[in-house]
Amino acid sequence: MTLRERLARTPPGYRFSIGRILAIYSGLMVALLLAALDQTIVATALPTDRLRARRDHASTRGSSPRTCSRSTVTVPLYGKLGDAHGRKPLFIVAISIFLVGSALCGLAQNMTQLVVFRAIQGVGAGGLFPLTLAMVGMIVPPRDRGRYQGLIGSVFAAASIIGPLVGGFIVDNATWRWIFFVNLPVGGRRAGA
């Protein structure tokens, strides 16, 4: 059996062909990697003086998106809206909110704006993880979900390695604003797909 035939095959219990599932899954993983990388890249850049922030704002800068993305309001809200309006459109909205927040963070003129814009970015990132899991549940039958969802852990492992390297490179070689702008080309491609 050729590779093309394997990818065109739809196994019993699946709604889509293997090729289509791999295409959907790779898009989901790139979006999830984007959100995970953002956290690790920003965490690397926070201790630098390039942000020119007062020390008392340091905890707020990092916790603002985490509070919004992992709050008890955001995840159930995305779940309920995904049930009502469909997960794919909501996933695109979550990526768009994340990207708008990233662009605004890169354009922030003071610490207050940066904190508010990181919160907006966190609201978008808060939808990426639960919607990814829900969409995997839609395209993969229950017997194989563990295998596909297990790969999500590899995304976070990759982000914990790649993020600090990219964050350190950006902080050493460019302005701090690029730690946010780096999301735009990849995320824009995912939102448009």
Side-chain angles (χ1 to χ4, degrees):
M1 185 182 287
T2 67
L3 180 60
R4 183 176 289 217
E5 291 170 340
R6 285 183 186 170
L7 293 176
R9 190 173 64 88
T10 303
Y14 282 76
R15 293 174 45 197
F16 303 109
S17 68
I18 295 297
R20 178 105 186 245
I21 287 172
L22 291 176
I24 294 168
Y25 194 74
S26 65
L28 293 173
M29 292 300 97
V30 168
L32 199 56
L33 180 65
L34 188 69
L37 275 176
D38 177 68
Q39 292 299 316
T40 56
I41 288 172
V42 172
T44 302
L46 285 180
T48 67
D49 290 332
R50 294 213 180 170
L51 289 176
R52 292 189 177 96
R54 293 187 346 217
R55 298 268 183 223
D56 58 342
H57 286 288
S59 63
T60 309
R61 270 188 316 221
S63 65
S64 170
R66 279 186 235 124
T67 302
C68 291
S69 68
R70 295 188 183 129
S71 71
T72 55
V73 175
T74 307
V75 172
L77 181 63
Y78 275 110
K80 186 69 172 171
L81 290 172
D83 290 342
H85 301 289
R87 288 170 184 86
K88 182 180 176 184
L90 194 59
F91 193 73
I92 293 170
V93 167
I95 292 173
S96 299
I97 292 170
F98 177 77
L99 294 176
V100 166
S102 293
L104 291 172
C105 286
L107 298 172
Q109 298 300 309
N110 57 47
M111 185 53 61
T112 303
Q113 287 180 356
L114 184 60
V115 170
V116 170
F117 297 154
R118 286 285 286 161
I120 292 169
Q121 187 183 32
V123 168
L128 296 179
F129 186 70
L131 290 171
T132 296
L133 291 177
M135 290 173 73
V136 168
M138 288 172 44
I139 63 173
V140 178
R143 71 176 182 267
D144 293 334
R145 282 185 197 150
R147 184 174 5 160
Y148 283 90
Q149 290 177 345
L151 292 173
I152 291 172
S154 67
V155 168
F156 288 101
S160 68
I161 295 168
I162 297 168
L165 295 173
V166 172
F169 179 80
I170 290 171
V171 167
D172 287 344
N173 297 299
T175 176
W176 65 268
R177 295 177 188 282
W178 280 99
I179 63 175
F180 301 108
F181 291 148
V182 75
N183 298 329
L184 301 178
V186 177
R189 175 92 170 112
R190 285 296 107 208

